[in-house]
Amino acid sequence: MTITAYSNATDVKWQRRWEETKLYAFNEANIGRKHYLLEMFSYPSGKNLHIGHWWNYSLSDSYGRLKRMQGYEVFHPPGFDAFGLPAENFAIKSGIHPEESTKDNIARMGGQFLTMGTTYDWGHLVVTCEPEYYRWSQWLFLRLFERGLAYRKEAPVNWCPSCMTVLANEQVVDGRCERCEGLTAQKRMTQWFFRITEYADELLNGLAVLDWPEKTKKIQENWIGRTLGCEVDFPIEADRVTAYTTRVDTLMGVTYVVLAPEHPMVDALTLSGHRDAVRDYQAQAGRRSEMDRISSAKEKSGVFTGSYAAHPMTGRRLPIWVADYVLASHGTGAVMAVPAHDLSDHAFALRYGLPIVPVIGSPLGPGQSLPYCEDGVLFGGTGHDGLTSGEARIRITAELEASGLGRAARKYRLRDWLVSRQRYWGTPIPIVHCEGCGHVPVPEGELPLRLPHDVEFLPNGRSPLAACEPFVSAPCPRCGRPAKRETDTLDTFVCSSWYFLRFLDNRDMTKAFDSDRINKLMPVDKYVGGIEHAAMHLLYARFITKALRDMGFLRFDEPFASLVHQGFILDADGRKMSKRSGAVSPDGIVKAHGADVFRLYLGFGFSFTDGGFWNDDGIKAVERFVRRVCRAVDCYVGSISRDTDGDSPEDLYDGQAPADMGLERLRHDTIKQVTEDIDGFRFNTAIARIMELLNGIARHQARPERDRSQEGSAVRDMVLLLAPLAPHLAEELWCALGNGYSVHNQEWPAYDPNILVREMAELAVQVNGTLRGVIMVPTNADDASIREAALGDPKVIQAIGGREVRKAIVVKGRLINFVLL
RNA sequence: GCCGAAGUGGUGAAAUUGGCAGACACACAGGACUUAAAAUCCUGCGGGCGUUAAAACCCAUACCGGUUCAAGUCCGGUCUUCGGCACCA
């Protein structure tokens, strides 16, 4: 007989075979039953693959393998998000060119990915820093430019002084740079933006249909931040100031108007006697952004402009102030101040002695202190007395609309996406700036606009490409006169906002993707990645998809139909396992225990969506499990009996049914559970079920008399169920069972629901809600006979103790509960 | 401040729609095999109170209350942790 064993050598053997036979190549002929599985692609960092990579990619791969065996044509491509700051920073330190280091990293990480034994089809590899890819990022940029969705404007931007580049709002965390954690500053610069706000409503409404974690949807919802309110005009001589409010019910309580320091009307409204003070204040506000922005307990400050606006209803004179607690970027950049009913306005009014006029009271009665910021009931003889806030908002909006001094409006927190970066290692923006013609797109035929190789990329606050004369100088594509190229590069999130469209046609040099085929392949059926991208990548990708759809390139609305987030594996200090805590090396684990022991440990030891603390002990347990599996197979193949002492143990799984049905039922039950569990990314319970099946098989094998047919089915299906989770081991065992290559081409085992239906069922018997006994009853027994059977149980009789049973509640297949008086 | 998620044995964790809390493992303890160790196998393993040994009983899902025949699960409140947003009008 053969002794089946598993080790790292097994991995290597089968990985070679898979490669030679192109086992996992995507067959587009079967696209009709496609399943597009994608993990957020990884960044080719300078370090080795870490536990976190294995955690994410190997388990997701197990899901894909299930789908494959279930008959889906799984499209599971690998990729690298290869542009970006780390490679550039590494180059600055080491002098090694980003192109070289990135290439090396990809080669090394690619090799390490192979040791995982994934189903990746490497023929569809996408690497974003290659001209074959970024050429199409440039194509995308030009399409957005044509549609007016890419535009340039001067705007206050987030500037990271240490990275010497601008950052998108999404990349600023608590006023600090997401990458280097240094404080960011505000700076006015002319930059490229993508008009994502045009899609704000659809991005928000579209969330409803997505099979995404609610938490993630909530994050996007907050990030988009839609409010429904009202724009109110406050006339000033020939003009008017427009303020946005969600509380137009408080309109009668307005006692002044405030403009943001950057509001375009500030100069015009500032009277001569106030000019110096306002100018000083504006300058001061512009300088302050760093520390003040992150301190929440900030003093309100401001200056009076000298001008007055008229209240749209009463005509009362309202002083116009400038204050930096009003943000230029939100609403209209102007606020109608209601000190009685708003926290900030209240503090401001107190400080500067402005009047405070309450007009809303609590519906519970008087006596509340100011500011009262809840909804309530209007009072004060203002013409709307007695209305609730909700009613008043509708009424007052209508009145303002009638008088032409207001209108219902909606506003968003979402800002347009700032995409230019003053970096070298990114996609060059294909635009030429011509004095005569303005911003002129680089003609299609000249793409890719290549990133020049020899560039000084030390950070100096300007784009490195600006110092590269041969790159900068270019004739204007329109008029032919000398002009200058755009020297900023694109945010790497632009690369990742459409990469899922490129895999299928990764070698097509004539277009970014083939619309017909991508419409068949998309959407991604299961997308797996970290939640940290909830407000960035996942939002950008949705936006780009919708934009391309509106241009006629795509016929679907959402890129990622179903989304799963993995949790984090933490080190002893509670930090994310990553390149920084490199103490535990996947390579070492793979060598010592084999890839499948590693995969099974990751799958069994944690809940996929929760993650947890890394712990070596679990490895041993899984290794033992693998040995027991091998032994069970050997035992079956060699017909050797299990060595046990004494009598064979009872078949614990099912003492009631004919003894030899036990294993069969266990097999079907396990198939059902494992299928559902892997499908739902519950790898821990899936593996636990297989352990139970193994325990059942082992018990059966310990019997003096074995049912060869049942045992054979159970062993065979155990191997098939293991195939997604331990792909190398399963090949080995499949082979040991005398089957042909490959286990991964087998049909996923099916279960027979009829076998799961039992003739007898165990029923819990409760008395007053406390468990008192367990009875066996026929599954189809009616309530009366269940009751009778339960009342016959000695323990139950004792618990009832002769008292009167008021009623009995029967839950079919579960329990019966006797309620006593 | 606002919004959201979570809190279960010594440990990792399980638990359809409210229906036998702790599956499956780890660790630990005892036993078998062995000259011995490793490996393997068997038994026990939430707490309390019991008992020669059992049985029985009581308490247990962060805490306090509620709904229900029945609550880890639903409702109200409190605490803690983690995430998102935050002068957003």
Side-chain angles (χ1 to χ4, degrees):
Chain A
M1 86 171 232
T2 54
I3 299 294
T4 313
Y6 168 76
S7 73
N8 182 215
T10 319
D11 299 342
V12 175
K13 176 173 87 183
W14 291 110
Q15 283 159 12
R16 283 215 188 102
R17 188 85 184 270
W18 296 338
E19 173 59 29
E20 283 158 16
T21 55
K22 299 270 172 255
L23 188 65
Y24 305 121
F26 179 64
N27 182 358
E28 209 182 323
N30 297 331
I31 202 165
R33 49 189 163 90
K34 63 92 184 181
H35 189 91
Y36 190 173
L37 166 66
L38 188 63
E39 297 96 30
M40 292 180 187
F41 60 173
S42 53
Y43 182 81
S45 79
K47 301 277 173 53
N48 294 315
L49 241 54
H50 50 77
I51 305 275
H53 287 109
W54 274 76
W55 168 242
N56 180 6
Y57 294 98
S58 75
L59 291 175
S60 173
D61 181 68
S62 292
Y63 168 85
R65 286 175 175 280
L66 167 71
K67 289 290 146 193
R68 220 179 151 274
M69 291 177 76
Q70 284 180 326
Y72 292 96
E73 184 67 32
V74 173
F75 186 57
H76 187 206
F80 288 100
D81 190 12
F83 271 137
L85 212 47
E88 193 163 335
N89 289 341
F90 177 70
I92 291 162
K93 256 189 276 171
S94 68
I96 299 171
H97 195 278
E99 192 174 323
E100 281 168 43
S101 62
T102 303
K103 217 178 252 174
D104 288 351
N105 293 343
I106 288 174
R108 192 192 53 256
M109 288 175 74
Q112 291 175 319
F113 265 117
L114 291 178
T115 69
M116 218 179 264
T118 65
T119 54
Y120 282 140
D121 181 349
W122 288 90
H124 286 281
L125 176 69
V126 160
V127 177
T128 58
C129 68
E130 289 175 351
E132 293 76 18
Y133 182 84
Y134 70 67
R135 156 182 190 150
W136 302 110
S137 296
Q138 293 170 336
W139 170 87
L140 172 68
F141 180 92
L142 293 179
R143 296 291 79 73
L144 294 167
F145 182 68
E146 278 170 5
R147 294 274 297 194
L149 291 173
Y151 67 97
R152 251 162 81 90
K153 75 171 176 193
E154 192 196 318
V157 297
N158 305 299
W159 176 258
C160 174
S162 96
C163 297
M164 302 259 235
T165 188
V166 300
L167 301 168
N169 286 339
E170 290 83 345
Q171 290 163 329
V172 179
V173 177
D174 291 337
R176 288 171 184 274
C177 171
E178 188 190 47
R179 275 263 152 72
C180 72
E181 298 183 1
L183 280 174
T184 60
Q186 294 284 115
K187 200 169 166 175
R188 284 194 84 80
M189 288 177 77
T190 300
Q191 298 284 297
W192 286 97
F193 290 85
F194 284 173
R195 210 180 291 279
I196 190 171
T197 51
E198 183 136 331
Y199 286 85
D201 265 321
E202 201 197 332
L203 288 169
L204 189 60
N205 298 336
L207 290 171
V209 302
L210 295 176
D211 173 29
W212 284 21
E214 288 305 316
K215 201 201 305 187
T216 314
K217 293 189 190 183
K218 200 79 199 173
I219 290 172
Q220 291 212 348
E221 198 182 308
N222 288 342
W223 190 262
I224 295 166
R226 180 167 67 189
T227 57
L228 302 176
C230 184
E231 280 180 2
V232 185
D233 297 337
F234 294 83
I236 28 165
E237 291 168 18
D239 207 348
R240 54 184 60 175
V241 171
T242 301
Y244 173 73
T245 180
T246 54
R247 291 296 306 275
V248 77
D249 52 311
T250 64
L251 184 62
M252 293 308 177
V254 174
T255 57
Y256 62 104
V257 170
V258 200
L259 305 181
E262 301 84 3
H263 194 284
M265 292 174 73
V266 170
D267 278 351
L269 289 174
T270 304
L271 299 189
S272 54
H274 301 268
R275 190 134 289 158
D276 289 348
V278 170
R279 290 256 162 87
D280 283 354
Y281 185 79
Q282 283 178 308
Q284 178 201 329
R287 260 182 279 123
R288 255 191 336 190
S289 34
E290 310 178 6
M291 286 311 292
D292 293 356
R293 280 185 47 177
I294 57 173
S295 78
S296 50
K298 204 170 31 163
E299 272 284 284
K300 303 278 177 286
S301 68
V303 283
F304 180 44
T305 61
S307 294
Y308 291 85
H311 191 284
M313 294 244 170
T314 63
R316 199 170 62 226
R317 267 162 50 101
L318 305 169
I320 301 175
W321 285 68
V322 173
D324 68 356
Y325 80 89
V326 175
L327 306 179
S329 58
H330 190 265
T332 60
V335 161
M336 56 172 237
V338 187
H341 303 299
D342 179 273
L343 218 53
S344 304
D345 297 345
H346 186 77
F348 192 82
L350 283 183
R351 175 161 178 190
Y352 292 102
L354 294 157
I356 298 171
V357 180
V359 293
I360 302 218
S362 164
L364 305 173
Q368 72 275 2
S369 59
L370 294 180
Y372 176 74
C373 304
E374 311 290 310
D375 276 6
V377 178
L378 276 68
F379 69 86
T382 54
H384 301 98
D385 287 9
L387 291 186
T388 65
S389 289
E391 292 161 351
R393 283 194 280 271
I394 294 167
R395 177 85 63 89
I396 294 174
T397 302
E399 288 172 16
L400 287 170
E401 279 174 348
S403 65
L405 288 175
R407 62 218 67 88
R410 56 179 62 171
K411 300 287 176 196
Y412 305 88
R413 207 194 74 93
L414 184 69
R415 303 270 79 88
D416 274 341
W417 173 16
L418 171 64
V419 295
S420 25
R421 295 289 180 277
Q422 293 68 51
R423 308 304 310 181
Y424 165 68
W425 191 233
T427 304
I429 297 176
I431 290 285
V432 175
H433 300 293
C434 169
E435 280 187 14
C437 310
H439 315 305
V440 182
V442 171
E444 284 306 303
E446 291 178 24
L447 297 184
L449 171 58
R450 283 181 181 270
L451 185 66
H453 188 273
D454 296 316
V455 171
E456 178 56 63
F457 39 73
L458 284 174
N460 62 3
R462 296 179 60 212
S463 300
L465 290 179
C468 180
E469 183 52 32
F471 178 83
V472 175
S473 300
C476 168
R478 197 164 292 162
C479 68
R481 276 182 298 198
K484 284 180 189 294
R485 287 189 196 282
E486 171 64 56
T487 55
D488 285 355
T489 53
L490 289 172
D491 180 8
T492 51
F493 278 111
V494 176
C495 307
S496 57
S497 67
W498 74 280
Y499 76 113
F500 42 89
L501 303 174
R502 181 62 183 168
F503 289 109
L504 189 60
D505 290 311
N506 63 336
R507 297 202 181 94
D508 191 337
M509 294 302 131
T510 64
K511 49 189 172 307
F513 51 84
D514 183 283
S515 288
D516 284 344
R517 291 160 63 222
I518 203 69
N519 281 328
K520 288 183 191 137
L521 180 68
M522 289 289 286
V524 173
D525 294 281
K526 192 65 89 172
Y527 197 37
V528 183
I531 194 171
E532 67 272 20
H533 291 113
M536 293 190 277
H537 164 61
L538 287 167
L539 196 62
Y540 298 149
R542 296 181 62 219
F543 156 60
I544 293 295
T545 299
K546 289 168 192 300
L548 286 170
R549 175 203 60 196
D550 290 346
M551 294 174 204
F553 292 107
L554 302 175
R555 278 204 310 274
F556 49 91
D557 301 319
E558 292 285 346
F560 313 125
S562 179
L563 174 70
V564 177
H565 296 303
Q566 76 277 18
F568 296 116
I569 299 297
L570 306 170
D571 63 17
D573 302 325
R575 284 175 314 195
K576 216 160 104 182
M577 276 279 190
S578 70
K579 36 208 171 222
R580 260 171 290 197
S581 49
V584 189
S585 147
D587 287 356
I589 296 170
V590 171
K591 282 214 180 67
H593 307 279
D596 287 348
V597 167
F598 194 11
R599 291 174 70 131
L600 286 168
Y601 168 62
L602 289 170
F604 181 61
F606 313 85
S607 128
F608 185 72
T609 47
D610 293 349
F613 288 90
W614 175 260
N615 173 4
D616 293 347
D617 290 351
I619 298 253
K620 275 186 297 181
V622 170
E623 201 152 45
R624 182 177 311 159
F625 166 66
V626 167
R627 274 197 303 267
R628 291 186 67 216
V629 170
C630 291
R631 222 167 327 121
V633 169
D634 284 341
C635 176
Y636 170 68
V637 171
S639 284
I640 48 172
S641 82
R642 293 299 266 225
D643 38 335
T644 51
D645 53 321
D647 303 324
S648 67
E650 280 291 297
D651 183 344
L652 298 172
Y653 185 70
D654 189 344
Q656 293 297 312
D660 51 6
M661 279 306 287
L663 188 55
E664 189 62 2
R665 180 169 294 143
L666 173 60
R667 176 171 75 89
H668 285 265
D669 199 27
T670 307
I671 292 169
K672 179 174 192 288
Q673 298 294 336
V674 171
T675 308
E676 290 168 4
D677 284 348
I678 298 181
D679 199 60
F681 281 73
R682 294 183 297 271
F683 306 104
N684 51 348
T685 46
I687 295 166
R689 300 297 173 205
I690 298 175
M691 287 175 170
E692 286 178 289
L693 177 61
L694 172 65
N695 290 343
I697 292 171
R699 275 196 301 269
H700 189 85
Q701 290 176 331
R703 288 178 172 179
E705 288 190 14
R706 289 146 64 182
D707 181 324
R708 292 288 296 167
S709 137
Q710 274 194 42
E711 184 187 344
S713 305
V715 169
R716 179 193 147 95
D717 282 352
M718 175 176 69
V719 171
L720 290 169
L721 295 177
L722 269 171
L725 300 156
H728 313 85
L729 171 68
E731 286 282 25
E732 193 69 20
L733 297 173
W734 189 247
C735 204
L737 287 172
N739 298 299
Y741 177 80
S742 156
V743 69
H744 301 295
N745 283 338
Q746 303 308 308
E747 219 173 279
W748 187 248
Y751 66 92
D752 180 353
N754 294 320
I755 292 186
L756 296 182
V757 175
R758 294 149 174 272
E759 285 168 15
M760 300 290 283
E762 196 179 66
L763 218 62
V765 184
Q766 295 180 341
V767 176
N768 278 341
T770 307
L771 181 71
R772 296 298 177 186
V774 173
I775 54 169
M776 293 302 299
V777 292
T779 318
N780 56 4
D782 59 18
D783 288 7
S785 51
I786 289 173
R787 181 182 173 135
E788 197 178 324
L791 286 173
D793 186 275
K795 285 184 189 167
V796 176
I797 292 168
Q798 192 198 335
I800 292 175
R803 284 169 290 173
E804 186 190 340
V805 174
R806 201 180 58 178
K807 66 175 170 175
I809 290 150
V810 177
V811 183
K812 276 273 184 299
R814 293 269 182 195
L815 54 71
I816 175 166
N817 186 15
F818 293 107
V819 184
L820 307 183
L821 279 175

